[in-house]
């Protein structure tokens, strides 16, 4: 059975203008997201990873229309979101939700948790008034919170509990796709595992699709089906989780992966230390964006930006944007 494409992102760009001079004219742009394309299929978890400033969170916000893209198209369920008027976009929004790192950053601290959830249900008007409290309590139970916690205020909850409420709020509108933006980054390791397991369980129960944004490859390994690696606003590599973790074909993800501690005693992994800082996304390097930090840079890399291309005939969907991956690592095998 063929997979259903739920989300399609085509050449998405998001530039932030930089104002300067006496008249406050736009003098340049921060090219936070600079032409990315990918698809997410129904029921899968796709992770967007990369160092801070690579554009992954901005991409998530542009997909949800929390920021207006500068260019490009986002199709949700085959509908181009560019073609929708405000009202149609608003009604589509209930299918696309987000879980933030701190779900309470955008919530009124004077509202109790049950009020937060009831308000979410009220905004989209999908549950009759008299059923709202019951629905909200049901959601709290789904995320592992108890009825007696419903009338508490956000500051009375621990980090993990707050994230559970954030998940309940995202679930309240019965979404199809949830963008998890560094959703577990601020949590302790043991709580992080609990929340990841909760997300997995809810995915099965509600047939959810996740776009999981994280800088933490350990977390990504736990939750993803496929992984998209970004660097300076562009995609460097896309692969299913196993292929990426075992056979990354691009020097950038290989360097990121080399920094993950090996848990098996006696086993070692060669650490690839990247030198230099990530260049500015105001004036990104010509050619391959990674060339200023790549240990294998050649002249061509400085002149010509590599396209994403198949990393090996045996690896459907594994693509890498490096001119020389065959010479460096060979093709990915099945
Ligand atoms: Fe390195 Fe060149 Fe490949 Fe870019 S294209 S990753 S600079 S070898």
């Amino acid at each position: 059975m063929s997979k259903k494409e739920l989300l399609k992102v085509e050449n998405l760009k998001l530039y932030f203008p930089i104002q300067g001079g006496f008249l406050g004219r736009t003098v340049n742009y921060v090219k936070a997201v600079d032409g990315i394309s990918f698809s997410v299929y129904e029921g899968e978890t796709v992770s967007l990873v990369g160092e801070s400033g690579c554009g992954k969170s901005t991409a998530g916000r542009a997909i949800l229309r929390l920021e207006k893209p500068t260019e490009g198209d986002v199709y949700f369920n085959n509908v181009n979101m560019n073609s929708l008027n405000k009202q149609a976009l608003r009604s589509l929004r209930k299918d696309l939700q987000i879980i933030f790192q701190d779900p309470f950053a955008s919530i009124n601290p004077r509202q109790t948790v049950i009020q937060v959830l009831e308000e979410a249900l009220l905004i989209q008007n999908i549950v009759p008034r008299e059923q709202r409290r019951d629905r909200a309590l049901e959601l709290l139970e789904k995320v592992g919170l108890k009825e007696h916690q419903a009338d508490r205020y956000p500051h009375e909850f621990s980090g993990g509990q707050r994230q559970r409420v954030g998940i309940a709020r995202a679930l309240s509108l019965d979404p199809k796709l949830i963008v998890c933006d560094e959703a577990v980054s601020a949590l302790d390791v043991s709580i992080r595992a609990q929340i990841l397991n909760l997300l997995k369980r809810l995915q099965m129960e509600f047939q959810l699709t996740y776009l999981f944004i994280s800088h933490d490859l350990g977390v990504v390994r736990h939750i993803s089906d496929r992984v998209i690696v970004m660097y300076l606003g562009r995609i460097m590599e896309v692969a299913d989780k196993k292929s990426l973790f075992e056979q990354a074909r691009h020097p950038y993800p290989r360097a990121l992966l080399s920094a993950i501690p090996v848990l098996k005693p006696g086993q070692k992994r060669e650490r690839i230390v990247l030198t230099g800082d990530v260049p500015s996304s105001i004036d990104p390097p010509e050619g391959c964006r990674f060339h200023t930090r790549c240990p294998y840079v050649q002249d061509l890399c400085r002149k010509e930006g590599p396209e994403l291309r198949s990393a090996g005939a045996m690896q459907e969907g594994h693509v890498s944007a490096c001119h020389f991956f065959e010479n460096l690592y060979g093709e990915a095998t099945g």
Side-chain angles (χ1 to χ4, degrees):
M1 204 169 73
S2 67
K3 297 178 288 184
K4 184 180 170 204
E5 191 177 54
L6 188 63
L7 180 77
K8 184 161 90 169
V9 176
E10 269 188 1
N11 195 31
L12 185 70
K13 295 184 182 176
L14 181 50
Y15 294 178
F16 295 105
I18 301 170
Q19 261 89 38
F22 182 61
L23 296 170
R25 287 205 184 106
T26 298
V27 291
N28 212 332
Y29 292 91
V30 175
K31 300 175 182 81
V33 178
D34 201 10
I36 62 169
S37 303
F38 62 91
S39 296
V40 179
Y41 298 94
E42 205 167 58
E44 71 171 349
T45 300
V46 174
S47 289
L48 272 184
V49 295
E51 290 163 293
S52 162
C54 71
K56 55 191 187 302
S57 288
T58 311
R61 294 179 67 82
I63 288 165
L64 294 179
R65 285 298 168 114
L66 300 176
E67 305 275 359
K68 193 170 186 298
T70 309
E71 215 179 296
D73 293 299
V74 176
Y75 296 84
F76 183 74
N77 248 340
N78 291 322
V79 175
N80 188 342
M81 289 168 71
N82 274 346
S83 68
L84 301 177
N85 60 26
K86 259 190 179 167
Q87 201 187 354
L89 197 58
R90 192 168 160 227
S91 92
L92 186 81
R93 275 235 170 87
K94 74 174 187 49
D95 287 340
L96 297 148
Q97 291 296 303
I98 185 164
I99 302 169
F100 294 107
Q101 184 171 342
D102 178 4
F104 284 86
S106 59
I107 283 176
N108 183 349
R110 284 186 289 272
Q111 278 187 321
T112 61
V113 157
I114 196 88
Q115 286 169 338
V116 168
L117 295 180
E118 285 186 66
E119 187 180 74
L121 295 168
L122 171 74
I123 289 169
Q124 287 284 349
N125 202 19
I126 47 175
V127 178
R129 188 191 180 132
E130 59 283 4
Q131 291 172 21
R132 265 180 223 142
R133 186 175 169 92
D134 285 347
R135 173 76 181 130
L137 289 173
E138 193 186 314
L139 286 164
L140 286 179
E141 191 251 311
K142 291 277 177 214
V143 298
L145 293 171
K146 302 272 184 292
E147 188 172 346
H148 68 85
Q149 296 171 307
D151 294 306
R152 292 188 186 166
Y153 292 91
H155 70 269
E156 297 177 83
F157 287 89
S158 67
Q161 289 172 331
R162 284 153 78 109
Q163 201 49 287
R164 285 176 194 271
V165 177
I167 294 168
R169 187 165 76 142
L171 280 182
S172 64
L173 302 179
D174 209 4
K176 294 189 169 63
L177 178 98
I178 299 182
V179 174
C180 304
D181 187 4
E182 299 283 8
V184 296
S185 302
L187 305 175
D188 292 343
V189 177
S190 60
I191 308 292
R192 194 180 296 170
Q194 289 173 16
I195 298 294
L196 288 173
N197 290 336
L198 172 66
L199 286 170
K200 279 187 163 185
R201 182 169 60 70
L202 294 171
Q203 181 170 41
M204 304 269 282
E205 188 173 343
F206 295 100
Q207 284 88 47
L208 296 168
T209 304
Y210 293 137
L211 181 62
F212 197 87
I213 296 169
S214 177
H215 69 280
D216 184 335
L217 280 165
V219 166
V220 163
R221 179 177 225 157
H222 189 82
I223 195 140
S224 314
D225 295 307
R226 287 191 300 128
V227 184
I228 299 171
V229 183
M230 286 185 71
Y231 182 79
L232 267 186
R234 295 243 170 107
I235 294 176
M236 299 290 112
E237 187 148 11
V238 183
D240 66 56
K241 175 176 65 177
K242 189 169 187 291
S243 302
L244 189 93
F245 279 81
E246 291 176 10
Q247 301 193 61
R249 300 290 95 176
H250 191 286
Y252 177 58
R254 284 183 88 97
L256 295 181
L257 289 165
S258 78
I260 302 179
V262 181
L263 296 177
K264 283 192 188 151
Q267 241 188 33
K268 268 188 165 179
R269 185 188 280 133
E270 192 197 340
R271 178 87 200 262
I272 304 163
V273 181
L274 294 177
T275 52
D277 294 326
V278 179
S280 162
S281 45
I282 297 172
D283 191 17
E286 292 288 309
C288 173
R289 294 237 159 146
F290 186 56
H291 86 248
T292 56
R293 299 173 81 202
C294 180
Y296 312 107
V297 59
Q298 300 187 36
D299 280 348
L300 177 66
C301 312
R302 297 187 183 91
K303 294 179 202 142
E304 222 174 88
E307 298 289 327
L308 281 167
R309 63 196 173 89
S310 171
M314 305 286 286
Q315 280 296 338
E316 200 194 338
H318 187 161
V319 288
S320 179
C322 171
H323 291 305
F324 301 113
F325 70 76
E326 292 93 336
N327 307 355
L328 294 170
Y329 315 113
E331 291 197 343
T333 52

